[in-house]
Amino acid sequence: MVDHMWLEPRTIRQAVCDDTFFIDVAAVGEDARSLRIRKDIAELLQRPCVLNPAVATVLLAVGDVGLRSDEGFVINVVDGRTEIVGTTTRALVYGFYDWLRRRMLGEPVNHVVSEPSQPIRMIDHWDQTDGSVERGYAGESIFFGRWGSNIHCEIGDFPERDASDVFRGDMRRIEDYARYLASVGINAVCLNNVNVRRFAIRLIVRPWIDRVAQIARIFSEFAIKTYLSVNFAAPKLIGGLDTCDPLDPAVNAWWQATVDAIYDAIPDFGGFVVKADSEGEPGPYAYGRTHADGANMFARALQSHGGIVIWRAFVYDCHQDWRDRKLDRAKAAYDNFHDLDGQFADNAILQIKFGPIDFQPSEPLNPLIGAMKRTNLMIEFQIAAEYLGHQIDVNYMLPQWLAAIRTDTGAGDNGVLDTGQYLQQAAVNPALVGYAAVANVGMDDNWTGHKLAQANLYGYGRMCWDQSLSAQTIAREWVSLTFADADTDAQQTITWILDTSNDTYESYAAPLGGGFMVRREDHYGVGINDFEYDRWGTYHYADRDGVGVDRTVATGTGYIGQYATAIAATLENVDTCPDQMLLFFHHVPYSHVLHDGTSVIQHIYDTHFAGVDMVDEYIRRWATLQDRIDDESFANVAERLQRQRRNAIEWRDQINTYFYRMSGIADSQGRLIYR
Amino acid sequence: MVDHMWLEPRTIRQAVCDDTFFIDVAAVGEDARSLRIRKDIAELLQRPCVLNPAVATVLLAVGDVGLRSDEGFVINVVDGRTEIVGTTTRALVYGFYDWLRRRMLGEPVNHVVSEPSQPIRMIDHWDQTDGSVERGYAGESIFFGRWGSNIHCEIGDFPERDASDVFRGDMRRIEDYARYLASVGINAVCLNNVNVRRFAIRLIVRPWIDRVAQIARIFSEFAIKTYLSVNFAAPKLIGGLDTCDPLDPAVNAWWQATVDAIYDAIPDFGGFVVKADSEGEPGPYAYGRTHADGANMFARALQSHGGIVIWRAFVYDCHQDWRDRKLDRAKAAYDNFHDLDGQFADNAILQIKFGPIDFQPSEPLNPLIGAMKRTNLMIEFQIAAEYLGHQIDVNYMLPQWLAAIRTDTGAGDNGVLDTGQYLQQAAVNPALVGYAAVANVGMDDNWTGHKLAQANLYGYGRMCWDQSLSAQTIAREWVSLTFADADTDAQQTITWILDTSNDTYESYAAPLGGGFMVRREDHYGVGINDFEYDRWGTYHYADRDGVGVDRTVATGTGYIGQYATAIAATLENVDTCPDQMLLFFHHVPYSHVLHDGTSVIQHIYDTHFAGVDMVDEYIRRWATLQDRIDDESFANVAERLQRQRRNAIEWRDQINTYFYRMSGIADSQGRLIYR
């Protein structure tokens, strides 16, 4: 049976069993959003909308509330009646689900003033038209693929499929999904993979755009705009042109006609996501044009419709020579985009991954964040656990994400300026900044493969809406909503596992910021040297004396010089560089002493033994939950914890053996390290 | 245009331009073989068979020549006429092509007495019914797949194919291939992969066996028997039984009926090849039976038809724990089969890989060879260059194979007994021993991807027929036949490349017998640690102090104890163990001094620099051949040498860097080793 995530109908109905509703949208008129709220009240809440506002316990009304954002809302109790008011029906959608969550959590529902931290709060699907999901760990795409199919296989292993209709057609599933996203504040979704290949190239044209429109209409009811990833080479690949030059008039005309037709089918279409000149994808470089030229071509075509183009800054040389220790992939985003600051159109957004590499268990903030001064920016996260355990190992990511975006960008004139504040400061159009994240859902019954991985989807939305929330608060919320029937102790157990899980995974997968020791086939499990002599620019440089990447200005790759002066000074000095990032920034001897008095090699040993110990503790504590939570969730997590344990043991033993063989230094506690 | 390998029609016709033939098979009657010789004389040689033997320059006759083997022949010049005589038409096939080769080479054709060293001289195809070839590096299967298709992709990536007819149907190609095999003395071919999956399981039953029969009839004309690999679980998978227990009467009855039907379709069917209880394939262990029980079940079914079963000894634990350094995959063949000596049926053959691991660039002789005393044995080689460069890197394998089979097996009562002699001594039926080798051909125009890889197919046949030939002689033969128009200096250049190529490849891919440092995806290119922490039992155990596998009895895995006493004593002692195998048998410090005075680490550096230097020398010398050999072969090898150079450079730099990082010992010659 398909899981209800954090919107369990029984829990909802209990919370609102005495409520009646009145919806007043006279100021703007009935629309898809207001109708959707009526429908959800009737069907999901199973409560009535009454005809007389005077007898309603809850009033939802469009009206001026004096907030900066037209998505914001206020909730107040007036004369014993709860009033949820916002200036748009979109605001009412968010207000309605916010109120519902507060009711389910038993929180006070009065004097609430809420507006989103980020104007754009986006989910990117890397779904492919054959039904597979690149970096998908929860089954097939919910948008594409064969009706009823949910084979679990790697991308590329999918059998050939009939391309006459690539859409799955499971509209009920999409409706549920849209509700989950709206309920945590998401307002944008991109349906298809940024690597736009084969059939996906055609999604932007008739008749396929009409099928996209069916999906977009559902998202629209939930105040979510639909976006598509496009292939930069589409004018050649499907347009019959012989160039894709972004300055060529015929190319621009083709895009304009294509965009016009899209808006004909989807009037509130969001825009395009583009990965260009990256990892083999086509782009403007082929025509001697800049990334700004490329992005602005799309921006021009979208502008009159109110659409935007989101241009990914994930551009680097993926054919690096491992021999050259002066090369540094971490520098790529800054090097490729810093000089283009101010050159992007007003409706173009540059989307930057939050770290300089690629969603590793441990990464510093991308130095391009803070360096751009006159550009609309979005920050990209990955809810899909590509490098964070494949939704097999439990890994609640909010602590890492929140730490990243609360890091000083160095862009403040006086004092600390975090990422959220910085985006506003740097924006050309402050409404066009935000966060995006790669989705982690699929056709698995529990949506995310690992039940606890739902917390990341939930948490991402909450973080986008309210950046002041702590990771612990968000975890507690999700656990209370999801395991509403469980006793407090059981809920605390689950919350504790979530809260500690990101550190636990990091403890075995990325000691001291040294990383990319994963298996190259799938990025899961340990493969210490799998990338060490390869072309991807991801090295640890371990030798018999030491380990880590020297990214200093003085003797290394110079990457640290991309940060603001004060930040760079802290990182450059091995004594002030945070230990957690030590091996990311410095190559140090195994005997180097950390701030806690432990040597690097001993830290490696300690964290790897501790990682397995923590997983064992998870298993022990999870076992206590039997019959205290639903059987399906219990079994799902119990099974995944066993797999995580096997994984953590491999990490422990391989890492410890490798570094023991390298260093020859014994564990000070004499624990078992295989030779 | 499809290449003619070593049977270039123009060269042949020049060599026999004055000959006329008479074929006298009155003693046995005309048959498929004699008719085939007539056909080849008419069509390939384009010379007449005359009606009067007195006017023929060449007489082929069946008659008693007093040889042990009925495949042997004599060639003599009697009254100015060449007479090729053997006791069977099969002998005439071999005699005819032997004579032809001698004529093409300009060798004397008189006083020739020739009989095969090995009774069974077999080629095993790992071809799959979807058209792919497991470990195939020359395009698709010549037997299976779609007509006209020759996509180059890895096994598993093949698109789904219509299974209604899995046969390619290119009978001309098969006819040419059968001639090549016969011309070098092959007498057995197995058509399908030993991993018998999906559709291939059904090849043994109607109607598919009738399609196999069409192929078998062609091979039969060339004196070659056809074999099939079978799935041990066929009675369950396609027979409708609920067991495959080799002692179950219903299972035996099913196999008997199946075999009877096969011989109905293919009267000279050779028999079965079986991979059981190995790498996931089903086998007798599931029923508590031994491998002898399994083999003998097939032997019983085949016996009345004169068929044989070839049972592979490639059985090992492929889920080994890398942590346990006492485990040793090298011991598996001996451990699994030694106790079964004497228990196999008279028409069963145990097929042993020549080395204890798996066709590595450097391996000692498998200790099971020498240990079995009362069993029919075949020795298995691999012409397909799985671990030897994928037919991208030039690698003439005869030096390695001949060195292996000329090694003392330790089974002699007095003095050295090589593998050829030993097989006869151990045999229950001396006619049922021989060699088998995995084919290296595919649908590529030049059959083997790399033109020079043809020499391995040629050489394997020649080695089976005449074990006394040197690798150099065989190389010279092949070059003279293949590049007949080239000048002597050009031929010597090609021969020199062949002669040195096996050492060159080994110099960068397997220093001192240490091996399995290949990429795990495809077994091509360097991946030093790709198998080091995996389950395949293939480790190098490099640490900061030393490298190699301790397989001694005294302190290691005990593997050396599987050899005969005197051999074991030599290997056990690090000072008498041959340096070429040092790291296979011993874990030694990098400072260990080899017999030539070089340290182990310096040897690693030296050979890896030398390997690239050799490839550079190949490139230089090959460049001199332009316009002196055919353009296609020139371009093919030139292109592959460039790829080999890139590969050798990666091996050099990664191996040298890795061991420098490990050991910290600098190259004594100060050459560039990346840090």
Side-chain angles (χ1 to χ4, degrees):
Chain A
M1 215 180 65
V2 179
D3 195 293
H4 295 284
M5 302 236 257
W6 49 87
L7 294 180
E8 171 59 48
R10 206 164 43 79
T11 313
I12 291 173
R13 289 164 198 164
Q14 267 173 6
V16 302
C17 60
D18 296 325
D19 286 310
T20 57
F21 297 82
F22 187 86
I23 301 182
D24 174 6
V25 290
V28 293
E30 202 79 60
D31 66 8
R33 262 89 34 219
S34 62
L35 289 169
R36 164 53 63 181
I37 297 170
R38 290 186 194 282
K39 192 165 151 65
D40 278 5
I41 288 170
E43 296 182 359
L44 176 62
L45 275 56
Q46 296 188 344
R47 297 299 305 158
C49 277
V50 295
L51 295 174
N52 178 358
V55 301
T57 63
V58 181
L59 172 74
L60 289 126
V62 169
D64 187 23
V65 287
L67 294 176
R68 182 177 51 86
S69 164
D70 63 1
E71 297 176 313
F73 55 88
V74 297
I75 307 178
N76 287 300
V77 178
V78 180
D79 300 334
R81 187 180 69 181
T82 300
E83 295 185 358
I84 307 170
V85 186
T87 52
T88 63
T89 53
R90 286 180 284 124
L92 291 196
V93 169
Y94 298 119
F96 173 66
Y97 277 100
D98 185 81
W99 168 81
L100 194 59
R101 186 190 61 251
R102 290 170 196 267
R103 289 296 295 265
M104 291 167 76
L105 292 170
E107 291 182 359
V109 194
N110 196 5
H111 309 304
V112 172
V113 179
S114 185
E115 53 185 334
S117 301
Q118 293 303 327
I120 300 180
R121 307 174 299 281
M122 186 159 187
I123 294 283
D124 286 336
H125 282 261
W126 287 357
D127 294 20
Q128 317 206 97
T129 48
D130 65 0
S132 66
V133 178
E134 183 164 346
R135 314 304 174 191
Y137 311 110
E140 292 188 31
S141 166
I142 61 173
F143 303 122
F144 307 107
R146 285 186 181 145
W147 175 267
S149 169
N150 190 31
I151 57 178
H152 284 73
C153 66
E154 285 303 309
I155 171 178
D157 291 343
F158 261 61
E160 279 182 337
R161 296 192 163 201
D162 179 12
S164 69
D165 187 2
V166 297
F167 290 87
R168 178 176 294 274
D170 191 343
M171 307 318 269
R172 171 63 190 275
R173 184 97 184 190
I174 295 170
E175 182 181 314
D176 285 347
Y177 181 57
R179 183 180 300 107
Y180 297 126
L181 295 190
S183 76
V184 293
I186 297 299
N187 67 356
V189 64
C190 182
L191 303 186
N192 63 312
N193 190 2
V194 288
N195 296 315
V196 185
R197 292 172 191 150
R198 293 185 291 275
F199 198 86
I201 302 166
R202 301 181 180 275
L203 291 176
I204 52 175
V205 297
R206 290 228 150 87
W208 312 109
I209 192 66
D210 296 323
R211 288 284 266 151
V212 174
Q214 291 182 11
I215 295 171
R217 271 193 289 277
I218 295 173
F219 280 114
S220 189
E221 293 176 10
F222 288 98
I224 297 168
K225 283 191 176 184
T226 296
Y227 292 68
L228 289 174
S229 296
V230 295
N231 188 312
F232 184 87
K236 282 173 77 171
L237 297 172
I238 62 170
L241 303 187
D242 58 4
T243 178
C244 306
D245 184 347
L247 300 191
D248 183 283
V251 173
N252 279 268
W254 187 86
W255 279 114
Q256 188 63 60
T258 301
V259 166
D260 290 347
I262 292 173
Y263 278 89
D264 197 39
I266 310 171
D268 64 343
F269 182 68
F272 293 146
V273 177
V274 189
K275 174 180 182 179
D277 285 319
S278 172
E279 298 183 326
E281 298 303 312
Y285 282 166
Y287 302 96
R289 311 303 184 189
T290 69
H291 281 278
D293 292 331
N296 294 345
M297 169 184 68
F298 292 104
R300 277 192 297 278
L302 290 156
Q303 191 168 24
S304 66
H305 300 285
I308 59 175
V309 58
I310 299 169
W311 192 267
R312 292 175 90 234
F314 184 58
V315 176
Y316 68 100
D317 175 10
C318 66
H319 291 278
Q320 190 170 320
D321 190 340
W322 59 266
R323 295 165 186 81
D324 186 349
R325 287 176 80 151
K326 282 288 173 190
L327 293 177
D328 187 356
R329 168 173 165 182
K331 297 166 74 174
Y334 186 100
D335 285 347
N336 280 300
F337 288 94
H338 183 246
D339 288 346
L340 299 177
D341 190 25
Q343 298 182 27
F344 289 91
D346 288 2
N347 64 327
I349 298 174
L350 186 66
Q351 179 167 301
I352 308 171
K353 292 192 179 187
F354 76 91
I357 303 289
D358 191 11
F359 305 131
Q360 295 302 294
S362 185
E363 278 194 71
L365 193 69
N366 194 323
L368 189 61
I369 303 171
M372 303 296 272
K373 305 295 182 192
R374 292 168 295 138
T375 303
N376 300 323
L377 300 175
M378 285 174 68
I379 310 302
E380 183 173 333
F381 303 89
Q382 190 181 36
I383 317 179
E386 177 177 355
Y387 294 98
L388 282 84
H390 280 206
Q391 291 148 235
I392 297 167
D393 299 29
V394 59
N395 195 331
Y396 176 59
M397 303 170 183
L398 271 294
Q400 184 186 12
W401 297 339
L402 287 167
I405 59 180
R406 286 170 186 167
T407 303
D408 183 14
T409 58
D413 289 331
N414 310 298
V416 169
L417 194 75
D418 73 19
T419 294
Q421 299 160 326
Y422 160 74
L423 293 184
Q424 288 297 320
Q425 174 181 299
V428 178
N429 178 348
L432 298 188
V433 303
Y435 295 158
V438 183
N440 68 342
V441 304
M443 284 301 293
D444 280 1
D445 275 355
N446 69 4
W447 293 86
T448 52
H450 196 307
K451 173 78 177 179
L452 301 186
Q454 291 178 5
N456 290 317
L457 182 62
Y458 178 88
Y460 168 71
R462 298 288 289 135
M463 170 182 99
C464 290
W465 189 276
D466 184 355
Q467 195 159 317
S468 72
L469 291 169
S470 75
Q472 290 84 345
T473 300
I474 296 172
R476 270 199 306 272
E477 280 185 9
W478 177 79
V479 170
S480 298
L481 295 168
T482 305
F483 299 100
D485 294 341
D487 59 80
T488 308
D489 178 69
Q491 291 185 353
Q492 282 172 350
T493 295
I494 301 170
T495 307
W496 176 81
I497 291 175
L498 288 176
D499 282 345
T500 56
S501 62
N502 189 254
D503 279 348
T504 296
Y505 189 82
E506 184 185 330
S507 73
Y508 53 84
L512 299 169
F516 243 108
M517 301 186 187
V518 292
R519 285 173 67 89
R520 63 175 169 265
E521 290 93 328
D522 55 5
H523 303 170
Y524 181 77
V526 56
I528 301 169
N529 274 357
D530 272 26
F531 285 88
E532 188 62 13
Y533 299 95
D534 216 329
R535 63 187 175 88
W536 300 96
T538 50
Y539 313 114
H540 54 65
Y541 296 130
D543 62 24
R544 75 199 313 265
D545 301 316
V547 60
V549 186
D550 183 353
R551 292 190 157 106
T552 62
V553 174
T555 58
T557 68
Y559 163 78
I560 289 175
Q562 293 185 342
Y563 288 99
T565 315
I567 297 171
T570 304
L571 297 174
E572 179 86 4
N573 183 338
V574 71
D575 294 324
T576 54
C577 178
D579 284 339
Q580 201 208 349
M581 287 293 162
L582 182 65
L583 302 183
F584 192 92
F585 289 111
H586 296 275
H587 185 90
V588 298
Y590 295 113
S591 57
H592 175 88
V593 178
L594 303 172
H595 291 95
D596 68 358
T598 318
S599 69
V600 164
I601 187 71
Q602 191 57 44
H603 178 93
I604 291 174
Y605 296 152
D606 288 348
T607 50
H608 284 81
F609 283 110
V612 176
D613 290 347
M614 279 298 278
V615 179
D616 281 337
E617 185 63 23
Y618 293 165
I619 290 171
R620 270 191 298 275
R621 295 205 192 182
W622 191 262
T624 68
L625 301 182
Q626 189 150 27
D627 300 326
R628 297 162 71 196
I629 60 172
D630 65 285
D631 291 347
E632 227 160 319
S633 298
F634 176 80
N636 168 266
V637 176
E639 187 265 348
R640 303 242 160 185
L641 284 172
Q642 290 298 332
R643 288 160 72 186
Q644 177 171 9
R645 181 169 187 274
R646 290 195 290 276
N647 189 37
I649 288 173
E650 279 304 320
W651 278 96
R652 178 193 68 192
D653 291 345
Q654 291 191 32
I655 292 275
N656 285 351
T657 296
Y658 183 83
F659 283 101
Y660 174 73
R661 286 184 183 177
M662 271 288 185
S663 70
I665 301 171
D667 172 38
S668 67
Q669 298 189 46
R671 291 164 292 195
L672 180 57
I673 293 178
Y674 300 89
R675 288 181 46 242
Chain B
M1 215 181 63
V2 178
D3 194 294
H4 295 283
M5 300 237 257
W6 49 86
L7 295 180
E8 170 59 48
R10 207 164 44 78
T11 313
I12 291 172
R13 288 166 197 162
Q14 267 172 5
V16 301
C17 61
D18 295 326
D19 286 311
T20 57
F21 297 84
F22 187 86
I23 301 180
D24 174 5
V25 290
V28 293
E30 201 78 60
D31 67 8
R33 267 115 353 247
S34 61
L35 289 169
R36 164 52 64 180
I37 298 171
R38 288 186 196 282
K39 193 165 152 64
D40 279 5
I41 289 170
E43 296 181 358
L44 177 62
L45 276 58
Q46 296 188 343
R47 297 300 305 159
C49 277
V50 295
L51 296 172
N52 177 359
V55 301
T57 63
V58 181
L59 172 75
L60 290 126
V62 170
D64 186 22
V65 286
L67 295 176
R68 182 177 51 86
S69 163
D70 64 1
E71 295 177 313
F73 55 85
V74 297
I75 308 178
N76 286 300
V77 177
V78 180
D79 299 335
R81 187 180 68 182
T82 300
E83 295 185 0
I84 307 170
V85 186
T87 53
T88 62
T89 54
R90 286 180 285 122
L92 292 196
V93 169
Y94 297 119
F96 173 65
Y97 278 100
D98 185 82
W99 169 82
L100 195 58
R101 187 189 63 252
R102 289 170 196 266
R103 288 298 294 266
M104 291 167 76
L105 292 170
E107 291 182 0
V109 195
N110 196 6
H111 308 303
V112 173
V113 180
S114 183
E115 52 185 337
S117 302
Q118 292 304 327
I120 299 178
R121 306 173 301 280
M122 188 160 186
I123 294 284
D124 287 337
H125 282 262
W126 286 359
D127 294 20
Q128 316 208 99
T129 49
D130 65 1
S132 67
V133 178
E134 184 164 345
R135 314 306 173 189
Y137 311 110
E140 292 190 31
S141 166
I142 61 172
F143 303 123
F144 307 108
R146 285 187 182 147
W147 174 268
S149 169
N150 190 33
I151 55 177
H152 284 73
C153 68
E154 286 303 308
I155 174 176
D157 291 341
F158 261 62
E160 279 183 337
R161 296 193 163 202
D162 177 13
S164 68
D165 186 1
V166 297
F167 290 86
R168 177 176 296 273
D170 191 343
M171 307 317 270
R172 170 64 191 274
R173 185 98 182 189
I174 296 171
E175 183 182 312
D176 285 347
Y177 182 56
R179 183 181 299 109
Y180 297 126
L181 296 189
S183 75
V184 293
I186 298 300
N187 67 356
V189 65
C190 182
L191 304 187
N192 63 312
N193 190 2
V194 289
N195 296 315
V196 184
R197 291 172 194 151
R198 293 184 292 273
F199 198 86
I201 303 167
R202 300 181 181 275
L203 292 177
I204 53 175
V205 297
R206 293 228 146 87
W208 312 107
I209 192 66
D210 296 323
R211 289 283 266 149
V212 174
Q214 290 181 13
I215 295 171
R217 271 194 289 279
I218 294 173
F219 280 115
S220 191
E221 293 175 10
F222 288 99
I224 297 167
K225 283 190 174 184
T226 296
Y227 292 68
L228 288 174
S229 295
V230 296
N231 188 309
F232 185 87
K236 283 175 75 171
L237 297 172
I238 63 169
L241 303 187
D242 58 3
T243 177
C244 307
D245 184 348
L247 301 190
D248 183 282
V251 173
N252 280 266
W254 187 86
W255 279 114
Q256 188 64 61
T258 302
V259 167
D260 291 347
I262 291 174
Y263 277 90
D264 198 37
I266 310 171
D268 63 343
F269 183 69
F272 292 147
V273 176
V274 189
K275 175 180 181 178
D277 285 320
S278 172
E279 297 183 324
E281 299 303 313
Y285 283 164
Y287 302 96
R289 311 303 184 187
T290 69
H291 280 278
D293 292 333
N296 293 344
M297 171 184 68
F298 292 103
R300 277 191 297 279
L302 289 156
Q303 191 168 25
S304 66
H305 299 287
I308 59 176
V309 58
I310 299 169
W311 193 267
R312 292 176 89 235
F314 185 59
V315 176
Y316 68 99
D317 175 11
C318 65
H319 292 277
Q320 190 169 318
D321 190 339
W322 60 267
R323 296 165 185 80
D324 187 348
R325 287 176 76 150
K326 281 290 174 191
L327 293 177
D328 187 357
R329 168 172 165 182
K331 296 167 76 174
Y334 185 101
D335 286 348
N336 279 300
F337 287 95
H338 183 243
D339 288 347
L340 299 176
D341 191 26
Q343 296 182 30
F344 288 91
D346 289 1
N347 63 328
I349 298 174
L350 186 66
Q351 179 168 302
I352 309 171
K353 291 191 181 188
F354 76 90
I357 303 288
D358 192 10
F359 304 132
Q360 295 303 294
S362 184
E363 277 195 71
L365 194 69
N366 194 323
L368 189 60
I369 302 170
M372 302 297 272
K373 306 294 185 192
R374 292 168 295 138
T375 302
N376 300 323
L377 300 174
M378 283 172 69
I379 310 303
E380 184 173 333
F381 304 88
Q382 191 180 34
I383 318 179
E386 178 177 356
Y387 294 98
L388 282 86
H390 279 208
Q391 292 148 235
I392 296 167
D393 300 28
V394 59
N395 196 330
Y396 176 60
M397 303 171 183
L398 270 294
Q400 184 187 13
W401 295 340
L402 287 167
I405 60 180
R406 285 170 186 167
T407 305
D408 183 14
T409 60
D413 290 332
N414 309 299
V416 170
L417 195 74
D418 73 21
T419 293
Q421 299 160 329
Y422 159 74
L423 293 184
Q424 287 297 319
Q425 175 181 296
V428 178
N429 179 348
L432 298 188
V433 303
Y435 295 157
V438 182
N440 68 341
V441 303
M443 284 302 292
D444 280 1
D445 276 354
N446 70 3
W447 294 87
T448 51
H450 195 308
K451 173 78 177 181
L452 301 185
Q454 292 178 5
N456 290 318
L457 183 62
Y458 178 89
Y460 169 71
R462 298 289 290 136
M463 171 182 97
C464 290
W465 189 277
D466 184 355
Q467 195 158 318
S468 71
L469 291 168
S470 74
Q472 290 84 346
T473 300
I474 295 172
R476 271 199 305 272
E477 280 186 9
W478 178 79
V479 171
S480 299
L481 294 169
T482 304
F483 299 100
D485 294 340
D487 58 81
T488 308
D489 177 68
Q491 291 186 353
Q492 281 172 350
T493 295
I494 301 169
T495 308
W496 176 81
I497 291 174
L498 288 176
D499 283 345
T500 55
S501 63
N502 190 253
D503 279 348
T504 295
Y505 189 82
E506 185 185 329
S507 73
Y508 53 83
L512 299 168
F516 242 108
M517 301 186 187
V518 292
R519 283 173 69 91
R520 62 178 170 264
E521 291 94 328
D522 56 4
H523 303 169
Y524 181 77
V526 57
I528 301 169
N529 273 357
D530 272 25
F531 286 88
E532 189 62 13
Y533 299 96
D534 215 329
R535 62 185 175 88
W536 300 96
T538 50
Y539 313 115
H540 54 66
Y541 295 131
D543 62 24
R544 74 199 313 266
D545 301 316
V547 57
V549 187
D550 184 354
R551 292 189 158 107
T552 63
V553 174
T555 58
T557 69
Y559 164 78
I560 289 175
Q562 293 184 343
Y563 288 98
T565 316
I567 296 171
T570 304
L571 297 174
E572 180 85 5
N573 183 337
V574 70
D575 295 323
T576 54
C577 178
D579 284 337
Q580 200 210 351
M581 286 294 160
L582 182 67
L583 302 184
F584 192 92
F585 290 111
H586 296 276
H587 186 88
V588 297
Y590 294 114
S591 57
H592 175 88
V593 178
L594 303 172
H595 291 96
D596 67 359
T598 318
S599 70
V600 164
I601 188 71
Q602 191 57 44
H603 177 93
I604 290 174
Y605 296 151
D606 289 347
T607 50
H608 285 79
F609 284 110
V612 176
D613 291 345
M614 280 298 278
V615 179
D616 280 337
E617 184 63 25
Y618 294 165
I619 290 170
R620 270 192 297 276
R621 295 204 191 182
W622 191 262
T624 68
L625 301 183
Q626 190 152 24
D627 301 325
R628 296 162 72 194
I629 61 171
D630 64 283
D631 291 347
E632 228 161 319
S633 297
F634 175 79
N636 168 265
V637 175
E639 186 265 349
R640 304 240 160 187
L641 283 172
Q642 290 298 332
R643 288 160 73 185
Q644 176 170 9
R645 181 168 186 275
R646 289 195 290 276
N647 189 37
I649 287 173
E650 277 305 319
W651 277 95
R652 179 193 67 192
D653 292 345
Q654 291 193 31
I655 292 272
N656 285 351
T657 297
Y658 184 82
F659 283 101
Y660 173 73
R661 287 184 183 177
M662 272 287 186
S663 69
I665 300 172
D667 172 38
S668 66
Q669 297 189 43
R671 291 163 292 196
L672 180 58
I673 293 178
Y674 299 90
R675 288 180 47 240

